[in-house]
Amino acid sequence: MEQRMRRATRGRVAAIATVGLMLAAGFATGAAPVQAADTNLIVNGGFEDGLTDWFVNNGNASDGAQLSATSDAYAGTNAALVTGRATTGSGPMQDLSGKVQAGQAYTLTARIKYENANGPATKQFFATMHYGGGTYTNLVSVTATKGQWAQFNGTFTIPATQTVSTARLFFETPWTATPATDPDLHLMDFKLDDVSVVGAAPPAPASKTIEVVGKLPGEHNPLIGHKFGADGFGLVHDGRVYMYMTNDTQGYAPNPTTGVSPGINYGDINQITVISSADLVNWTDHGEIQVAGPNGVAPFTANSWAPGIAKKVVNGVERFFLYYANGGGSSNVITGASPLGPWTSERTSTLIDGRTPGAENVAWKFDPAPFVDDDGQPYLYFGGGPASTSMPPAERFNNPKNIRAIELDDTMVATQGTAAVVDAPVAFEAGHVFKRDGKYYLSYSSHFGGNDFGGSQQPLPGYPGGGQIGYMISDNPMSWPKETYAGVLFPNQSQFFGSGTGGNNHQSVFEFEGKHYFTYHAPTLNKRINGNTTQGYRSPHIQELAFNPDGTIQQVVGTYAGVNQVRDFDPYRVFEAETFGWSKGVATTTVDGSSAQFGGAAPNLVVRDIDNGDWAALSSVDFGDSGAQSVTAKVRALAAGGQIQVRLDTATGPVVGTVAVDTPVGQWAEVTAQLDGVSGVHDVYFTYAGPAGVDLFEIDNWAFQAATLELPVTATASARCVAGKVHVAVQARNDHDAPVTIALETPYGERSFAAVAPGANAYQSFSSRAVSVPAGSATVRVTGAVGGQDVTTVRTVQQPAGTCGG
């Protein structure tokens, strides 16, 4: 087995200080192979399902080929054919991440054949594992004879020290830097069939459920306590704030015994997390967008960091454009039909990279932040990283000129013109622009010094210190000279949240219902899980942004208290169960079907991993004066005996209703419970109870039903004789504490009485003009106000039969 770090032409190996990206490589010496169980880890190895689970190796930008199914199979009806190979590594690949384990031994078998007329008589082929970055390991090889099926048959052991969070198996010819000089020797077409990798079954994935209360009741930061999220970017749309974040939870894998996860590996993050809220305190989890990677919306990208989003009407249709960093080397964009998708890629290559005019000297072409001006012109801000070594040391430190501004065209998925330098003092990354009162504000994160920024230097007076958020004010969204610098907007978060919460930051600003808000991240949830030793998992926060009369910004103070709730929560509708003000011990997952609250285009999530003693809560729920009479939940029982207790104000508050989850195990059903004494504004806690040691149920959505409002009235109807004819007499007494309108309705006539006083009667005798009438009924309709709401109560009273004369 050969393991090597391939040259830069094959794969870039980088360490990006801003996010601490570490791609570890290495292998054990003298370690005995671990005996593997007899389990095939390859899916569709015989290609009988076509190309399902297979794709062309895309570990480097230069890799490329066409993969198709062929009936020329070694066995069965199908094999895979790879043609048009651009590099020696351009071959069929399957992702084994999460399946293989360091220290384990595996047996690999496969069949391979090449037939190129001008090819050599024999050719060596490799089965190779790509562990991420520039780490490639040749596992098993075979020398094939042209026109004949050859068999890979060998064993390999993954070194105990090898990082396997990324593990992608592919088939190739021996590597050379210049294969195009002799394509018949290096880039021949070939066929692959009957692939298997037999070894130990993958371990059960580590639980990502956060069992501690990470967002304390009464506090509004961090925004969520059941998962992580960084680099938050806020978008306001149709009365909601949507927050798009780097999915820090993707690599979170706490040790079952210690509860401590390995440090975050940013190189594995290829999803963006989305949450939204109408009140800035109760947040709905919309799950993750699979942006990058082989199964991503944009599979030609590998990572999705630091998202930024904007909306714009293009060709008469409102569209949403989600920008993200593809690692440190480039940035890209995908397009959505709504803030929640569905998402598509209009591009086949990255939007910002080394080809972007004006960005040639930018070390890190990442952190893309869009801004659409009032006139509809869109812009994109990006960049960061080490300053150019051509500048003097003091300038590299104080004015590194590493951020850029560029215009986007009207499609929002292409740039136009040349990127302009943003001369932000002590700049590091995270450029972001918003507009207020005709002025443009650009905020950014400052660097920490070091050799990348001129060595031992001192900031100029007033310039930001390390890891702070500075800002600038300009009259032009493309002009940011150093003279527009206005000060420090936000000190480092460790100043407010203490030990273990330092590091760089990433921010955005959004306006919601007349106020501006500032987003940032801090590892506060990580700290509450593990104490002062954090592993880099960050959580979203919001603070209100205040301005001075001259337009400068008052420095933001980070707090756990966060922002005030914008409005009380409306319970009288169907809403997603994964909407949390606070929570303990629960997680979420995406399921099939549409969202009851957000529609068919939105992903549908449920609350899962619900154990005895867990709970979820909503902040400031307004039940009104009349209150709620019942609550309905859509649930799927996983064990018998589970129940949901509805409590007010605390997790141990009074139980006002109990939902018995007594439905068939494994089936979705709706369950309803009556409520008692639920009115006014309360925090509402759903506490979960049932057998210990098992998952109790999953919850999809909730809906409260308002109590029926009625006006009290006493009504009677009788039949009597007047002048030989039957009259039906109807009387209604107002038992309410305020005047009402009463309408009396019979088959023989109707009459309405306005402003009937409390305790007073409305009475009318209706002539039938007949000597005899059968039994029937009269309707009494009472209209008035209860608790400020207009209410109509209808009563039906029975009227007896009546006969006059002999």
Side-chain angles (χ1 to χ4, degrees):
M1 179 174 69
E2 179 188 358
Q3 185 169 38
R4 62 194 183 277
M5 299 294 288
R6 299 195 174 180
R7 302 176 190 173
T9 54
R10 180 64 193 261
R12 178 177 65 93
V13 181
I16 299 179
T18 177
V19 292
L21 174 58
M22 299 296 293
L23 297 176
F27 62 92
T29 57
V34 177
Q35 191 65 35
D38 189 13
T39 301
N40 186 7
L41 307 181
I42 294 292
V43 177
N44 189 31
F47 300 95
E48 298 309 298
D49 290 331
L51 301 177
T52 301
D53 285 290
W54 291 92
F55 54 96
V56 174
N57 173 26
N58 57 4
N60 291 275
S62 57
D63 292 331
Q66 290 78 48
L67 193 62
S68 61
T70 175
S71 60
D72 181 17
Y74 175 80
T77 57
N78 281 329
L81 170 65
V82 59
T83 58
R85 298 165 63 224
T87 65
T88 57
S90 300
M93 171 176 272
Q94 186 163 132
D95 192 349
L96 298 183
S97 303
K99 292 185 176 182
V100 296
Q101 307 169 57
Q104 290 284 357
Y106 300 91
T107 298
L108 184 149
T109 61
R111 299 283 180 168
I112 200 161
K113 181 171 73 169
Y114 75 101
E115 300 168 302
N116 299 55
N118 297 323
T122 62
K123 182 65 178 178
Q124 186 181 32
F125 289 86
F126 285 113
T128 302
M129 194 81 83
H130 182 198
Y131 291 111
T135 307
Y136 293 78
T137 302
N138 297 140
L139 306 174
V140 179
S141 71
V142 67
T143 298
T145 299
K146 182 165 61 176
Q148 299 179 21
W149 284 101
Q151 182 180 22
F152 288 94
N153 191 359
T155 62
F156 65 92
T157 300
I158 299 178
T161 56
Q162 176 63 58
T163 299
V164 292
S165 54
T166 297
R168 307 200 307 167
L169 173 71
F170 67 101
F171 293 83
E172 63 172 343
T173 50
W175 180 81
T176 180
T178 57
T181 59
D182 192 347
D184 290 328
L185 178 63
H186 300 297
L187 299 177
M188 67 276 291
D189 301 343
F190 63 85
K191 299 170 184 177
L192 183 70
D193 202 1
D194 286 4
V195 184
S196 71
V197 173
V198 175
S207 172
K208 297 177 183 289
T209 302
I210 296 169
E211 300 294 346
V212 304
V213 181
K215 180 184 181 183
L216 301 184
E219 295 180 349
H220 300 161
N221 276 331
L223 303 185
I224 50 177
H226 70 292
K227 62 169 55 174
F228 304 98
D231 309 320
F233 194 106
L235 169 76
V236 177
H237 179 71
D238 281 354
R240 294 187 72 84
V241 174
Y242 293 83
M243 188 76 66
Y244 300 81
M245 302 172 291
T246 304
N247 180 21
D248 276 18
T249 311
Q250 193 165 356
Y252 180 65
N255 182 286
T257 301
T258 66
V260 178
S261 174
I264 190 169
N265 183 352
Y266 300 95
D268 289 342
I269 298 176
N270 57 21
Q271 300 172 345
I272 289 173
T273 297
V274 187
I275 60 176
S276 75
S277 177
D279 59 35
L280 302 185
V281 174
N282 297 296
W283 290 88
T284 301
D285 185 356
H286 298 291
E288 280 67 46
I289 306 168
Q290 185 63 57
V291 175
N295 300 314
V297 179
F300 54 90
T301 58
N303 295 116
S304 57
W305 305 340
I309 191 166
K311 60 182 177 180
K312 190 175 188 295
V313 175
V314 177
N315 295 326
V317 179
E318 185 175 56
R319 308 292 283 172
F320 297 81
F321 300 91
L322 182 57
Y323 302 81
Y324 62 95
N326 178 36
S330 61
S331 294
N332 197 49
V333 58
I334 59 176
T335 305
S338 79
L340 300 176
W343 301 96
T344 58
S345 177
E346 298 181 54
R347 298 187 58 86
T348 57
S349 62
T350 50
L351 171 66
I352 301 292
D353 51 35
R355 300 165 297 181
T356 304
E360 296 85 357
N361 294 325
V362 176
W364 298 340
K365 300 172 181 64
F366 71 168
D367 288 2
F371 165 71
V372 179
D373 208 347
D374 300 335
D375 61 1
Q377 174 60 51
Y379 302 86
L380 192 69
Y381 302 85
F382 66 93
S388 172
T389 56
S390 65
M391 295 189 294
E395 185 179 4
R396 292 178 68 194
F397 186 97
N398 286 289
N399 299 97
K401 301 177 178 61
N402 50 5
I403 296 177
R404 296 290 184 270
I406 195 167
E407 290 187 357
L408 296 169
D409 69 12
D410 288 339
T411 70
M412 298 286 285
V413 298
T415 63
Q416 59 184 12
T418 300
V421 172
V422 175
D423 194 2
V426 198
F428 192 34
E429 58 183 9
H432 173 272
V433 168
F434 70 96
K435 188 176 184 180
R436 175 183 179 271
D437 292 346
K439 298 288 186 180
Y440 301 91
Y441 293 75
L442 185 146
S443 59
Y444 62 95
S445 181
S446 62
H447 66 69
F448 294 88
N451 291 335
D452 285 339
F453 293 94
S456 179
Q457 303 291 327
Q458 293 295 319
L460 293 174
Y463 276 16
Q468 297 186 336
I469 303 298
Y471 77 103
M472 310 168 82
I473 305 175
S474 176
D475 294 324
N476 186 332
M478 288 291 290
S479 176
W480 302 96
K482 62 185 178 182
E483 289 77 16
T484 60
Y485 174 70
V488 172
L489 168 57
F490 183 66
N492 190 265
Q493 62 273 19
S494 61
Q495 177 174 322
F496 308 112
F497 302 110
S499 177
T501 64
N504 63 306
N505 216 314
H506 198 111
Q507 76 299 329
S508 76
V509 174
F510 63 88
E511 184 179 1
F512 185 52
E513 299 189 356
K515 292 184 177 181
H516 285 80
Y517 295 91
F518 173 78
T519 76
Y520 62 102
H521 63 232
T524 46
L525 175 57
N526 195 177
K527 181 173 181 175
R528 280 176 169 157
I529 296 170
N530 299 137
N532 289 339
T533 302
T534 59
Q535 294 79 47
Y537 297 94
R538 302 156 296 177
S539 293
H541 295 64
I542 294 178
Q543 307 290 163
E544 189 174 335
L545 203 60
F547 296 82
N548 297 311
D550 64 356
T552 57
I553 303 174
Q554 296 177 18
Q555 195 169 106
V556 174
V557 174
T559 67
Y560 282 109
V563 299
N564 293 329
Q565 189 165 334
V566 170
R567 60 177 53 80
D568 292 333
F569 189 87
D570 174 17
Y572 298 125
R573 59 197 168 95
V574 177
F575 60 91
E576 298 299 331
E578 60 277 8
T579 302
F580 304 132
W582 308 280
S583 63
K584 174 186 178 295
V586 300
T588 60
T589 191
T590 304
V591 297
D592 292 338
S594 60
S595 165
Q597 181 178 353
F598 294 93
N604 188 37
L605 274 71
V606 300
V607 181
R608 57 169 292 273
D609 203 1
I610 297 173
D611 303 313
N612 182 58
D614 291 342
W615 52 262
L618 297 168
S619 174
S620 296
V621 180
D622 186 2
F623 293 104
D625 292 338
S626 60
Q629 66 179 6
S630 64
V631 63
T632 298
K634 183 178 179 181
V635 298
R636 184 167 78 100
L638 301 177
Q643 60 177 223
I644 306 168
Q645 299 157 336
V646 183
R647 300 174 184 263
L648 300 184
D649 301 319
T650 71
T652 57
V655 176
V656 295
T658 299
V659 180
V661 185
D662 52 6
T663 55
V665 171
Q667 298 182 24
W668 285 102
E670 290 190 345
V671 288
T672 299
Q674 297 301 304
L675 301 176
D676 182 35
V678 181
S679 62
V681 178
H682 296 274
D683 296 337
V684 175
Y685 286 75
F686 303 105
T687 60
Y688 310 125
V694 296
D695 287 350
L696 301 176
F697 39 76
E698 295 175 342
I699 312 175
D700 191 353
N701 52 61
W702 292 101
F704 285 84
Q705 292 77 42
T708 302
L709 297 178
E710 292 189 346
L711 291 163
V713 61
T714 301
T716 60
S718 61
R720 62 193 185 94
C721 293
V722 178
K725 304 295 183 182
V726 178
H727 282 235
V728 175
V730 184
Q731 177 176 295
R733 185 182 70 223
N734 175 18
D735 296 329
H736 189 38
D737 58 5
V740 298
T741 296
I742 299 178
L744 308 178
E745 303 170 2
T746 73
Y748 314 107
E750 301 177 358
R751 184 174 176 185
S752 181
F753 301 82
V756 179
N761 290 302
Y763 173 85
Q764 180 64 40
S765 179
F766 299 95
S767 174
S768 69
R769 298 182 176 85
V771 298
S772 179
V773 297
S777 63
T779 300
V780 177
R781 197 178 305 275
V782 185
T783 302
V786 178
Q789 298 184 48
D790 292 334
V791 176
T792 297
T793 297
V794 179
R795 291 282 186 270
T796 299
V797 292
Q798 297 305 308
Q799 161 248 310
T803 301
C804 299

